[in-house]
Amino acid sequence: MKTVYVCLSTDTIHEGHMNVINEAKKYGTVIIGMLTDRALVSFNRFPTLTEKERYALYKGIQGVDRVVIQDDMYYDKIISEIHPDYLIHGDNWCDGPEKIIRENVVSLLAQYGGQLIEIPYTRNESVKKVDRKLIEKLSMPEYRRKRLRQLLEIRPIVKILEAHSGLTGLIVEKTIVNKGGRLDQYDGMWISSLCDSTDRGKPDIELIDMSSRIRTIDDIMDVTTKPIILDGDTGGVTEHFMYNVRTLERKGVSAVIIEDKIGLKKNSLFGTEVEQTQDSIENFCKKIESGKRVQLTDDFMIIARIESLILGKGMQDALNRAFAFCDAGADGIMIHSRKSDPSEVFDFCHNFRQNNRKTPLIVVPTTFNSVKEEDLARNGVNIVIYANQLMRAAFPTMKYIAEQILINHRTEEIEDRLMHFKDIIRLIDEI
Ligand code: SPV
Ligand code: MG
């Protein structure tokens, strides 16, 4: 009996998958490969079923002889173990990011004469409907909210990029790159107070009220599924923070980061150039405890952000605060710095990790921008937030274009800098 291998990553078996499996049955014993969460999240949608549930789902498909675990997007290990005579896949991987996975399979099969069979991908209304439903499910609060904690378990470092609108949210949601043969994507979005304020032409001083911040969150949530971390500024007065925790949690936000400052907050990148006051450890701990007390799920995270290094208060102060905030219930510590060299951040991480191996550490490397994610992870960082790059990219281009139209009295000169209007009208898919 010949063996046929089919790799699946789906949470629902629709007629397209059944087509592939029925075809596979014609060639021999059908082995299904179940892609692990770890392998999936680098290039695919986050699963809504656990690995155990997916395993049971695939096992229950009629005509499937065996289910095995595939722990990498590439097939090297699994093919060397199974040596299937045939490998069957939909033809949807011929273009787009998954093309490199196909190339990997073609070369592996060629080494021993295995055969690749590609089935035309089923693109009818009912398949599209199943697909849309899955996306809807992923965007629901109960699925989205817990995803940050799930990602912390499976990603070497969780990568978060700033989004301040539906469109920038879509960019974070959909961008996938192929770097040296590995596919990669962002894990979630940061809703920055700096960018949310700047987008409204206002300074970053907690002037934008929570209703407006929630409007931004809603716009982004409407069109995306990835988890959201909100920059909660100082969290405001404790009694207000408690209500906001409830609202954010109910909406499906995964985490709020609050900074240990009080009074008129200014952006941390000003450092000591402007007057900023750090909150007392006691008061800030009370805020964290109060927020933790009112949250209803185990999913939501309250992350404490420490401004000691920004304000020149020294390492020991930063560490004292970190341990106190963890004791108060903080689910993560963001250590901020505006030095171009990451050494003070790494010192903090090492000192912190001597006493605390578990609490996630978060950094925003806006100024120490030469450090690579691998180095951050090696030094104990769990989440990296690219906090303002999309906003900083858009502004100079828009300003330049505005100037050039005024200078040239027409737009011909700048057309090559613009997306064609035919492309922009098709940029957003209709449902
Ligand atoms: C933000 O993005 O608004 C932040 C990070 O709070 S920073 O601008 O570095 O203070
Ligand atoms: Mg901010």
Side-chain angles (χ1 to χ4, degrees), residues 148 152 155-162 172 184-190 229 257 303 333-335 345-346 360-369 371-377 380-389:
L148 185 62
L152 279 163
R155 281 294 229 181
I157 186 163
V158 174
K159 293 187 287 285
I160 304 288
L161 179 62
E162 170 264 317
V172 183
D184 208 1
Q185 62 175 334
Y186 291 102
D187 297 302
M189 291 158 281
W190 164 248
I229 304 177
I257 300 188
I303 297 170
I333 295 291
M334 174 182 152
I335 182 68
V345 168
F346 289 166
L361 286 175
I362 296 96
V363 299
V364 175
T366 303
T367 52
F368 43 106
N369 56 13
V371 63
K372 292 253 188 191
E373 289 157 3
E374 304 82 89
D375 288 331
L376 294 173
V381 173
N382 306 91
I383 301 179
V384 57
I385 301 178
Y386 298 104
N388 46 47
Q389 285 71 16

Side-chain angles (χ1 to χ4, degrees), residues 37-157:
D37 293 351
R38 199 185 67 85
L40 252 173
V41 294
S42 65
F43 71 101
N44 215 320
R45 281 205 294 263
F46 200 91
T48 58
L49 299 182
T50 62
E51 288 180 351
K52 225 168 142 189
E53 289 166 334
R54 291 204 300 284
Y55 188 89
L57 175 73
Y58 303 165
K59 197 106 201 335
I61 303 171
Q62 249 205 354
V64 168
D65 298 278
R66 193 147 67 93
V67 180
V68 295
I69 308 292
Q70 182 175 332
D71 193 24
D72 191 54
M73 68 178 201
Y74 286 122
Y75 286 57
D76 300 62
K77 187 157 175 278
I78 205 81
I79 284 187
S80 78
E81 281 165 13
I82 296 176
H83 260 257
D85 299 291
Y86 301 96
L87 193 145
I88 304 204
H89 200 283
D91 65 359
N92 54 320
W93 68 349
C94 294
D95 317 293
E98 288 183 48
K99 202 169 142 190
I100 58 164
I101 303 178
R102 179 181 185 273
E103 284 162 11
N104 163 257
V105 165
V106 168
S107 85
L108 290 168
L109 293 175
Q111 286 167 19
Y112 65 93
Q115 204 182 323
L116 173 64
I117 298 166
E118 288 171 319
I119 315 279
Y121 190 78
T122 313
R123 290 178 208 280
N124 62 26
E125 267 317 303
S126 99
V127 166
K128 275 194 205 151
K129 204 168 153 192
V130 172
D131 217 42
R132 275 201 299 268
K133 259 196 171 156
L134 268 182
I135 296 175
E136 280 301 313
K137 195 171 163 187
L138 272 175
S139 70
M140 289 295 160
E142 61 273 29
Y143 286 96
R144 195 196 293 251
R145 189 174 46 228
K146 66 182 174 198
R147 199 142 345 116
L148 185 62
R149 284 198 191 270
Q150 293 173 317
L151 284 159
L152 279 163
E153 295 294 319
I154 51 181
R155 281 294 229 181
I157 186 163

Side-chain angles (χ1 to χ4, degrees), residues 252-379:
V253 169
S254 300
V256 63
I257 300 188
I258 52 171
E259 56 193 280
D260 59 352
K261 288 200 299 224
I262 198 160
L264 180 62
K265 185 225 79 157
K266 303 249 171 85
N267 186 278
S268 301
L269 298 171
F270 283 121
T272 47
E273 290 160 29
V274 294
E275 204 180 306
Q276 311 216 44
T277 316
Q278 207 170 12
D279 201 354
S280 68
I281 294 184
E282 194 191 9
N283 200 42
F284 202 67
C285 282
K286 227 177 94 205
K287 201 180 280 187
I288 296 165
E289 277 160 7
S290 305
K292 289 308 291 178
R293 203 170 52 244
V294 295
Q295 97 177 47
L296 295 174
T297 67
D298 292 332
D299 307 332
F300 188 72
M301 298 171 78
I302 296 179
I303 297 170
R305 161 171 166 177
I306 295 169
E307 293 286 299
S308 305
L309 304 181
I310 293 277
L311 299 172
K313 299 281 172 64
M315 186 61 65
Q316 198 50 54
D317 184 68
L319 287 164
N320 292 346
R321 284 170 176 271
F323 296 128
F325 298 161
C326 288
D327 288 344
D331 300 294
I333 295 291
M334 174 182 152
I335 182 68
H336 207 14
S337 161
R338 63 173 199 139
K339 295 233 166 95
S340 55
D341 173 348
S343 54
E344 68 173 7
V345 168
F346 289 166
D347 278 354
F348 174 90
C349 294
H350 293 152
N351 286 316
F352 180 78
R353 285 281 176 244
Q354 309 248 305
N355 283 306
N356 183 321
R357 303 216 56 79
K358 258 180 53 208
T359 306
L361 286 175
I362 296 96
V363 299
V364 175
T366 303
T367 52
F368 43 106
N369 56 13
S370 62
V371 63
K372 292 253 188 191
E373 289 157 3
E374 304 82 89
D375 288 331
L376 294 173
R378 241 197 318 278
N379 282 280

